[in-house]
Amino acid sequence: MPMNSKLFAGLAIAVAFAMPASAANKIKVGLITKFPVPFYSTMEDAAKKYAAAHPEIELVTGQGQAATDIEGQIALIESMITQGVKGLAITPVDPTVAPSLDKAVAAGIKVVLVDNSIPDWKGQTALVSTNNLNGGKIAGEYLKTVLKSGDKIGILQGVPGVPALDDRVTGMMEGLGDVKVEVVGKGATNCTLELGTSVTEDILTANPDLKAIYSACGPPIPGAVKSISNAGIANDKIILVGFDACCGEIEAIKSGAEDASVAQFPAKMGELGIDTVVKAIRGEAVEANVDTGAGLVTLQNVKDFE
């Protein structure tokens, strides 16, 4: 080998050893969350913090515009594939994103679903989420202590057809047990304050003797509080229970406008979502279902959730 070639080869080897190992061995991972509310911001922040503590991870993030932004999430999935991520943690906005996730799996990408599942989709490596059925039961068990059979209740649904949100309603009804309430109003809110306001108004107008309202997600709660107040109904006349303990719910509980909410732990979801997908990329064993837990927030323990 000519001297110059030997010198070049030697320099190349020296540079390779001098470069940080992370530059050559970075694990590129994607995180896609549904839409801009504090719950998903907390999840993303925790994922970024986890990645910062693990220099071998390169984290790419993306977020949809709304709870029903299916096309936006599909575009983000395809972008992640193009960017060459090795793993993807995603809070799927709707089951119709499954074909795009199939493309990711076909490209060798490990997919971990976070926060909610996709019914009958077999492509995921794992599901990292609250057990939403059990979370709903927690809400129902609380309502059981403050309601009696025959009481009228309204339900603010999330996005009908999304399993996690549907399970929260099913679980709540199961948690009521032998207390047979009458569901007199039910409406989809798409997990928005605006629809939380209008659906609550409709339920209250049709049912002046309503005893309780249950919301399957947090963002509609401030809307429900506003509607109850606008109707001139005192806080202690309507029992209001939510799910997520986010988006103004903590303040509503402290003020007495909301009685309770089922808290999830989005930071734990973000951290465990990335941890799980990285383990899968490395070929390590991961649990098929990683339960991130839930707890009931009331005035008595609200300070623990601030």
Side-chain angles (χ1 to χ4, degrees):
M1 179 183 293
M3 183 59 70
N4 286 346
S5 297
K6 289 181 179 180
L7 179 61
F8 179 80
L11 287 171
I13 292 169
V15 170
F17 277 110
M19 288 175 66
S22 58
N25 301 315
K26 281 278 191 179
I27 301 172
K28 184 180 282 191
V29 176
L31 172 68
I32 298 175
T33 50
K34 288 182 183 177
F35 60 109
V37 292
F39 183 89
Y40 293 114
S41 296
T42 298
M43 186 185 296
E44 184 175 305
D45 288 346
K48 288 178 177 177
K49 184 177 179 180
Y50 181 85
H54 296 79
E56 74 278 12
I57 298 173
E58 179 184 348
L59 182 64
V60 183
T61 63
Q63 188 172 78
Q65 298 300 309
T68 53
D69 186 13
I70 298 169
E71 292 303 319
Q73 189 161 85
I74 289 172
L76 286 168
I77 294 167
E78 293 179 351
S79 173
M80 295 286 182
I81 296 171
T82 302
Q83 291 179 66
V85 300
K86 299 300 182 184
L88 175 61
I90 179 171
T91 62
V93 70
D94 185 271
T96 54
V97 304
S100 294
L101 291 176
D102 285 332
K103 294 179 184 177
V105 173
I109 297 169
K110 300 293 185 182
V111 175
V112 170
L113 304 183
V114 182
D115 188 32
N116 60 275
S117 64
I118 298 176
D120 303 320
W121 189 63
K122 307 300 182 184
Q124 75 266 20
T125 296
L127 171 65
V128 176
S129 73
T130 303
N131 185 318
N132 287 283
L133 187 68
N134 285 345
K137 288 179 181 178
I138 291 171
E141 287 164 359
Y142 171 80
L143 286 165
K144 183 178 179 179
T145 68
V146 293
L147 296 176
K148 64 182 185 300
S149 292
D151 282 344
K152 294 181 178 180
I153 184 172
I155 297 175
L156 307 181
Q157 298 169 295
V159 182
V162 173
L165 299 173
D166 291 345
D167 282 351
R168 296 175 188 181
V169 176
T170 301
M172 184 275 292
M173 295 302 295
E174 290 181 6
L176 284 165
D178 56 3
V179 175
K180 305 302 180 185
V181 299
E182 182 183 355
V183 178
V184 294
K186 182 186 290 187
T189 67
N190 292 341
C191 291
T192 65
L193 182 152
E194 293 77 14
L195 286 175
T197 303
S198 60
V199 173
T200 300
E201 285 177 355
D202 291 343
I203 293 173
L204 291 174
T205 300
N207 303 279
D209 55 347
L210 192 75
K211 294 294 183 183
I213 293 174
Y214 170 66
S215 178
C217 43
I221 287 290
V225 170
K226 179 181 177 181
S227 295
I228 291 168
S229 176
N230 289 346
I233 301 170
N235 288 342
D236 60 355
K237 295 299 181 183
I238 299 284
I239 297 160
L240 182 59
V241 176
F243 202 116
D244 284 334
C246 81
C247 316
E249 286 190 90
I250 296 300
E251 293 77 11
I253 290 171
K254 289 169 67 176
S255 72
E258 183 178 7
D259 295 88
S261 182
V262 178
Q264 300 188 85
F265 303 105
K268 197 172 179 180
M269 289 184 192
E271 177 182 335
L272 290 178
I274 301 304
D275 180 72
T276 301
V277 79
V278 169
K279 285 179 177 176
I281 292 167
R282 289 172 171 161
E284 299 176 26
V286 297
E287 295 182 23
N289 293 281
V290 180
D291 185 0
T292 52
L296 187 72
V297 186
T298 64
L299 186 59
Q300 286 66 43
N301 68 352
V302 68
K303 289 184 178 179
D304 297 335
F305 292 86
E306 291 183 287

